[in-house]
Amino acid sequence: MNRPTMDHPAIAGIEACPSLAALLPVPVAAMRCTIPLAGASLWPSEEAAIAQAVAKRRDEFTAGRACARHCLIELGLEPAPIPVGEMGMPLWPDGVTGSITHSDGIAMAVALRDGAVRSLGIDIEPASSVTDAMHAIVLTPAERDALPPQDRAIAATALFAAKEAFYKAQFPISRRFVDYREVGVELAEGRFSVQVQSDIPSIGAAGQRFDGRWCMLDGHVLTAIAL
Ligand SMILES: CC(C)(COP(=O)(O)OP(=O)(O)OC[C@H]1O[C@@H](n2cnc3c(N)ncnc32)[C@H](O)[C@@H]1OP(=O)(O)O)[C@@H](O)C(=O)NCCC(=O)NCCS
């Protein structure tokens, strides 16, 4: 992969994230930064999407876009705008697929040139952020029953983050909203398996499984999946 050059110098505060890249089965550009990211700016077509946003939202959006743009440079491409598309999905330049996430002071992005996989999804959540009160909304009865007595909140958060990563990967293909309880996730050490419970157009029939990986990183749960 290419590295920042004289034409496209590295932005201070953005760094490669090998832990994130290692979660995916194909080589990707993976970048992270803290939020807010000093010196980061938006392209005009990106500005439009957050013109009315509060400062916190603006900061996370800008940091995520900076990581995403740095992924393009890592892939040997020219920096380009990544506007907001249907239902919030990022519109990557032609020939590129990727995903963006941000949470609690960290922003991340991954990208690769089309070909190896159809789509990528990543998600980061503060560890233990999914409380018992949220289980009925984001977990299926089977997932709730399978929660371990120890590290229960971390496991619940990993299930949740696995679903959000899967959602971000599947949406650009299916263009369908999929609720948390329409997929079932089984968790193992560093891995997860998403099973769709109903047919999702262009993704899979009910019962089909998709495998992803997860890890703990700086007090967060990080998930990634490629479709
Ligand atoms: C869209 C959603 C997944 C975002 O997750 P989140 O934890 O709230 O926020 P994150 O910071 O991790 O991710 C936000 C980024 O996801 C990306 N994103 C948002 N909507 C998207 C979509 N429809 N498709 C792909 N990526 C999307 C965007 O890049 C966004 O950042 P940006 O607005 O700054 O560009 C979540 O808000 C949501 O709506 N979930 C409901 C659906 C779901 O998760 N179902 C699970 C079963 S499949």
Side-chain angles (χ1 to χ4, degrees):
M1 277 184 202
N2 288 6
R3 293 285 176 263
T5 63
M6 291 284 283
D7 287 343
H8 307 305
I11 300 171
I14 300 185
E15 58 187 3
C17 187
S19 303
L20 174 57
L23 296 180
L24 287 158
V26 291
V28 294
M31 309 304 300
R32 65 175 284 181
C33 72
T34 54
I35 307 169
L37 179 66
S41 56
L42 296 173
W43 290 47
S45 60
E46 298 168 341
E47 279 279 356
I50 58 155
Q52 311 299 325
V54 298
K56 181 175 182 297
R57 169 65 183 137
R58 191 179 181 82
D59 285 346
E60 69 175 22
F61 181 87
T62 304
R65 284 305 185 278
C67 288
R69 221 170 331 273
H70 214 81
C71 285
L72 297 180
I73 296 170
E74 286 280 320
L75 294 172
L77 301 166
E78 289 295 312
I82 303 167
V84 177
E86 182 183 349
M87 295 278 285
M89 73 172 181
L91 295 176
W92 293 85
D94 286 348
V96 177
T97 183
S99 184
I100 298 169
T101 187
H102 20 61
S103 173
D104 202 22
I106 301 176
M108 291 181 168
V110 292
L112 85 170
R113 293 186 189 226
D114 283 351
V117 297
R118 288 200 295 167
S119 185
L120 299 174
I122 62 171
D123 192 62
I124 188 167
E125 303 288 338
S128 308
S129 55
V130 173
T131 60
D132 285 12
M134 296 166 64
H135 288 182
I137 300 166
V138 301
L139 303 183
T140 65
E143 290 165 344
R144 295 164 76 174
D145 290 346
L147 284 176
Q150 289 181 331
D151 296 330
R152 181 179 163 85
I154 289 177
T157 304
L159 291 170
F160 175 75
K163 293 183 184 199
E164 295 218 316
F166 175 75
Y167 179 80
K168 292 182 200 176
Q170 72 80 33
F171 184 85
I173 301 169
S174 73
R175 304 300 171 96
R176 178 179 177 291
F177 180 81
V178 181
D179 188 72
Y180 297 103
R181 291 163 59 95
E182 285 186 73
V183 300
V185 177
E186 287 178 14
L187 212 56
E189 188 69 39
R191 296 180 174 274
F192 63 84
S193 172
V194 177
Q195 185 174 40
V196 300
Q197 320 251 308
S198 52
D199 296 354
I200 305 179
S202 305
I203 296 293
Q208 193 162 338
R209 287 187 175 276
F210 303 90
D211 295 330
R213 294 185 194 159
W214 70 284
C215 68
M216 299 294 298
L217 184 72
D218 297 345
H220 291 71
V221 169
L222 179 61
T223 55
I225 193 166
L227 300 183

